[in-house]
Amino acid sequence: MVLRCHGREHVLLWLCELNGAVPGEPVKTDKNSRRGNWGNQIEFILTSVGYAVGLGNVWRFPYLCYRNGGGAFMFPYFIMLVFCGIPLFFLELSFGQFASQGCLGVWRISPMFKGVGYGMMVVSTYIGIYYNVVICIAFYYFFSSMTNLLPWTYCNNPWNTPTCNGVVTPTGINNTLANVTRSLVTGAAEVAVEVVNKTKRTSPSEEYWKHYVLKISDDIGNFGEVRLPILGCLAVSWVVVFLCLIRGVKSSGKVVYFTATFPYVVLTILFIRGITLEGAVTGIKYYLTPQWHKILDAKVWGDAASQIFYSLGCAWGGLITMASYNKFHNNCYRDSIIISITNCATSVYAGFVIFSILGFMAHHLNVDVSEVADHGPGLAFVAYPEALTLLPISPLWSLLFFFMLILLGLGTQFCLLETLVTAIVDEIGTDWIIRNKTVVTGGVAIVGFLLGVPLTTQAGIYWLLLMDNYAASFSLVIISCIMCICIMYVYGHKKYFKDVEMMLGFPPPIFFRVCWRFVSPIIISFILIFTVIQYKPITYNDYVYPGWSLAIGFLMAMSSVTCIPIYALYKISKSEGTTFLERLKNSCKADIKWGPALSEHRIGHYAAPSSEGEVEVRPLKEELKEKEDEKRDEISLTIQGSNGSTAHNTTPSA
């Protein structure tokens, strides 16, 4: 079929220009119509930012920074970002974009290592299960904040214990008594503050979290009952995720315009409110004051490397998946730098928001900031909510805070679910499953909901923290290290550099080539060694996990790693060859399907004879000229010898 883009028809000319065609030149497309692409590049960047910027940026980084030397921690943090974070981010984006495949399909580069892709799927499954439970708890707190008085403000609720000690005096509850004994109440408040300073207080927010929201049991094996309000919020969370992904990247790409940007609006509002409070400067000083002597501590560098690695979402499979929907010639080098820096800048910015409020709370209680600083669920659902009760119009600030947590969580959850769905659809690859991708998305969401039900029981928080500490810990480091080794040394760094050059139009900068081959694998190995040396059995407050639960944790961690040798042995056994070495060599060779997904991009050694069923879109003059060339080739065929091949232009299109 020939499309004339140089005729007199103005409508046809307009359509040609709309599609990026130049009159008189071949019409070039860069869209994968069968698999789909992002609507535009902003959608990809926003989705990747939403994926990388998650709950850990808010509830983990500020605490790590404070604990590891304040402003001094920024130095090793940004060193690790430059030498490990950005190079690995660029590697995964270029890997997925070049092949236009998910975390399973990309391993056509070396089929023996496809187990790495299955390991990524296992990790994403674990994270997706418990991550949505955290989101559902944020939903619960969000709904609970729709009231005139936050339920965790006072200690006069049925779930409170005699040891409860609030930070807000319950004025207005009994006005008559308050008017008669005002001086006694004031004196009692002063005594209460003194008691708080001398003994460990049990706050209303902590008792609300433990005794009302969770109704926490005394042991990880004591599941108790399913907390129906949490279960309902879990269903809401999965429905929201499914609806946002109902059309894959076409729908999620539109949703991220809000979910990836509005958290910054909320952070800014909370920051402005926080820095206007008394004691905020003290909190920020705790957050940023450099303790330079800690730079010599290996643990600080280990924490910095680990935070960069886990925060960017490396080795989860999500980066490969999101990049696979890019157009082939997209500048993913630029994107990797923008997204990585945005992620780290968000972490630093969130620290100001968190510690300004915590500083205000410490000032109110007349205690040190270190006594109110916390991380993880303890910060998100205990310390920060309690601090919000001290603010005027506290329900408004609570709504904003938990809405921000919901959006941060959803941005990551979208990519986790899409990673699993894309891997399944790409692996099966039939027309039916591509047309019915929504069914696959719904099925994965239902399975994820059912697997999350045990985490909504009274022992659910124990299991959630167990999965958080073990399911995606050292296994991610091993997966990432093997991925680097496979691409750089098994497939070959020179070939991969040429692939990237063919895709981007320029080779990877020498800095990234050195990092990919040497620096990043060394840093990853350092993270693994550091993780092993610093390992301590998990605890939750005063609760020590029993040995059998820790064994389950290690099994979860190993389940993703063992995919790699198991699949490697399977692939070797199925490969051609009479000896083990021959089978090993053949199983490591790149598959014939490895390379760009679209035939127009398969140039050079990726070029293949065009099939009869392909539809070619070219200008009329070029087609007539090619026919004349073919006639001349037929006349000179006997001179050409037995090769019989026809020369093609191998210059990549701009």
Side-chain angles (χ1 to χ4, degrees):
M1 182 181 71
V2 177
L3 179 62
R4 297 183 60 187
C5 289
H6 57 285
R8 296 179 180 179
E9 296 83 352
H10 296 292
V11 175
L12 187 58
L13 180 61
W14 176 77
L15 289 172
C16 293
E17 292 175 350
L18 184 64
N19 287 315
V22 178
E25 292 187 3
V27 177
K28 301 169 185 175
T29 61
D30 199 17
K31 290 186 177 180
N32 192 329
S33 57
R34 186 170 187 265
R35 193 171 181 273
N37 293 105
W38 296 106
N40 55 63
Q41 209 48 38
I42 295 178
E43 292 182 6
F44 166 69
I45 292 177
L46 289 178
T47 301
S48 299
V49 167
Y51 171 65
V53 178
L55 297 173
N57 297 71
V58 174
W59 75 18
R60 178 169 170 80
F61 173 82
Y63 181 82
L64 275 181
C65 186
Y66 150 74
R67 192 183 69 182
N68 288 307
F73 180 72
M74 301 293 183
F75 179 73
Y77 182 72
F78 285 108
I79 290 292
M80 291 301 175
L81 170 66
V82 171
F83 288 97
C84 184
I86 296 178
L88 288 177
F89 207 92
F90 181 28
L91 179 64
E92 292 200 30
L93 291 190
S94 61
F95 194 24
Q97 181 175 305
F98 182 79
S100 296
Q101 290 287 313
C103 63
L104 289 182
V106 290
W107 294 103
R108 293 170 180 170
I109 192 173
S110 184
M112 190 185 81
F113 290 89
K114 192 174 182 179
V116 175
Y118 284 110
M120 291 178 173
M121 286 187 66
V122 172
V123 169
S124 292
T125 301
Y126 287 141
I127 298 175
I129 291 170
Y130 77 78
Y131 212 82
N132 227 15
V133 174
V134 177
I135 297 172
C136 87
I137 296 175
F139 265 114
Y140 183 86
Y141 271 79
F142 177 76
F143 296 140
S144 299
S145 300
M146 296 179 180
T147 178
N148 293 327
L149 180 67
L150 294 177
W152 56 86
T153 303
Y154 299 133
C155 290
N156 57 351
N157 302 289
W159 58 82
N160 290 127
T161 65
T163 59
C164 179
N165 196 341
V167 296
V168 181
T169 303
T171 56
I173 297 178
N174 192 330
N175 289 329
T176 303
L177 180 61
N179 291 332
V180 174
T181 62
R182 185 181 303 274
S183 60
L184 293 176
V185 171
T186 304
E190 294 175 353
V191 172
V193 171
E194 186 178 353
V195 171
V196 167
N197 292 334
K198 294 182 178 180
T199 61
K200 186 178 180 180
R201 54 189 296 273
T202 305
S203 65
S205 60
E206 183 178 356
E207 295 200 347
Y208 179 78
W209 163 248
K210 286 184 177 180
H211 305 318
Y212 185 76
V213 177
L214 301 179
K215 288 189 176 179
I216 189 169
S217 64
D218 58 352
D219 186 71
I220 188 173
N222 182 13
F223 285 90
E225 63 181 10
V226 172
R227 297 287 296 119
L228 293 180
I230 302 296
L231 182 65
C233 290
L234 181 63
V236 170
S237 183
W238 275 110
V239 168
V240 169
V241 173
F242 169 72
L243 292 177
C244 292
L245 289 174
I246 194 167
R247 293 181 59 230
V249 295
K250 294 296 182 184
S251 55
S252 65
K254 303 299 182 290
V255 174
V256 293
Y257 280 104
F258 178 73
T259 60
T261 57
F262 194 72
Y264 292 96
V265 177
V266 178
L267 276 174
T268 303
I269 293 173
L270 293 174
F271 172 68
I272 294 173
R273 183 68 185 99
I275 59 175
T276 60
L277 298 172
E278 193 173 4
V281 175
T282 304
I284 293 174
K285 283 182 178 179
Y286 265 85
Y287 171 50
L288 289 180
T289 301
Q291 301 175 40
W292 295 110
H293 65 278
K294 288 195 174 183
I295 286 187
L296 301 177
D297 188 353
K299 186 178 185 303
V300 173
W301 289 84
D303 280 344
S306 299
Q307 177 63 16
I308 284 290
F309 185 84
Y310 295 121
S311 177
L312 290 174
C314 298
W316 292 14
L319 298 178
I320 294 174
T321 301
M322 296 302 106
S324 71
Y325 291 103
N326 279 334
K327 293 179 181 179
F328 183 73
H329 293 297
N330 170 64
N331 190 346
C332 59
Y333 166 64
R334 171 204 61 202
D335 296 343
S336 62
I337 295 176
I338 293 174
I339 298 165
S340 300
I341 293 177
T342 301
N343 171 71
C344 296
T346 303
S347 298
V348 176
Y349 186 38
F352 286 94
V353 177
I354 297 299
F355 272 87
S356 61
I357 297 291
L358 294 182
F360 165 66
M361 181 179 174
H363 174 79
H364 183 87
L365 294 174
N366 195 26
V367 297
D368 195 80
V369 177
S370 61
E371 295 188 29
V372 296
D374 203 348
H375 67 289
L379 171 67
F381 302 118
V382 178
Y384 204 84
E386 182 182 16
L388 294 177
T389 61
L390 299 171
L391 301 177
I393 326 176
S394 55
L396 172 63
W397 307 114
S398 183
L399 283 170
L400 286 173
F401 176 71
F402 287 110
F403 189 53
M404 178 189 70
L405 290 186
I406 291 169
L407 295 181
L408 289 175
L410 287 176
T412 302
Q413 190 67 18
F414 291 160
C415 296
L416 290 170
L417 183 59
E418 185 63 40
T419 297
L420 298 175
V421 173
T422 297
I424 295 171
V425 172
D426 286 349
E427 185 67 9
I428 299 175
T430 62
D431 292 335
W432 183 90
I433 201 165
I434 292 175
R435 288 194 307 267
N436 294 276
K437 186 178 178 181
T438 302
V439 178
V440 180
T441 305
V444 174
I446 291 172
V447 173
F449 168 75
L450 295 176
L451 292 176
V453 171
L455 302 185
T456 64
T457 62
Q458 291 177 267
I461 188 65
Y462 297 122
W463 290 99
L464 188 151
L465 294 174
L466 185 72
M467 295 179 72
D468 184 41
N469 278 270
Y470 289 92
S473 55
F474 67 88
S475 55
L476 285 178
V477 183
I478 295 174
I479 288 172
S480 184
C481 189
I482 293 177
M483 181 180 68
C484 286
I485 293 172
C486 172
I487 297 175
M488 291 296 108
Y489 297 101
V490 178
Y491 176 66
H493 63 277
K494 292 182 179 179
K495 287 194 287 185
Y496 191 74
F497 296 160
K498 289 181 180 179
D499 291 343
V500 174
E501 183 177 6
M502 184 176 76
M503 178 174 64
L504 301 182
F506 58 88
I510 189 170
F511 171 78
F512 287 90
R513 283 180 273 170
V514 173
C515 285
W516 287 347
R517 293 184 63 194
F518 307 110
V519 181
S520 296
I522 291 173
I523 294 177
I524 294 172
S525 302
F526 165 72
I527 297 174
L528 178 60
I529 296 171
F530 169 79
T531 303
V532 174
I533 293 175
Q534 293 291 325
Y535 169 76
K536 293 180 181 178
I538 181 177
T539 60
Y540 178 56
N541 294 334
D542 297 329
Y543 177 76
V544 178
Y545 280 67
W548 63 267
S549 64
L550 298 179
I552 293 177
F554 277 109
L555 287 176
M556 283 192 292
M558 294 303 298
S559 61
S560 56
V561 177
T562 51
C563 292
I564 302 172
I566 290 175
Y567 188 86
L569 292 174
Y570 165 77
K571 190 63 182 178
I572 292 172
S573 66
K574 294 293 183 181
S575 298
E576 296 179 354
T578 55
T579 65
F580 176 80
L581 289 178
E582 288 180 359
R583 291 173 179 267
L584 177 64
K585 185 177 180 180
N586 290 330
S587 65
C588 290
K589 286 182 180 178
D591 190 273
I592 191 172
K593 293 182 180 180
W594 163 250
L598 300 182
S599 58
E600 65 190 73
H601 298 141
R602 297 184 72 91
I603 58 176
H605 66 280
Y606 291 110
S610 58
S611 60
E612 296 180 0
E614 288 182 352
V615 177
E616 195 170 7
V617 182
R618 296 175 296 175
L620 182 59
K621 288 182 180 179
E622 184 177 331
E623 185 181 27
L624 294 175
K625 183 180 178 181
E626 187 170 318
K627 286 182 179 179
E628 292 177 0
D629 292 340
E630 288 176 358
K631 289 181 180 179
R632 286 196 298 268
D633 291 340
E634 288 175 2
I635 294 172
S636 60
L637 185 62
T638 56
I639 302 175
Q640 293 178 8
S642 60
N643 186 9
S645 60
T646 304
H648 296 279
N649 181 19
T650 59
T651 304
S653 58

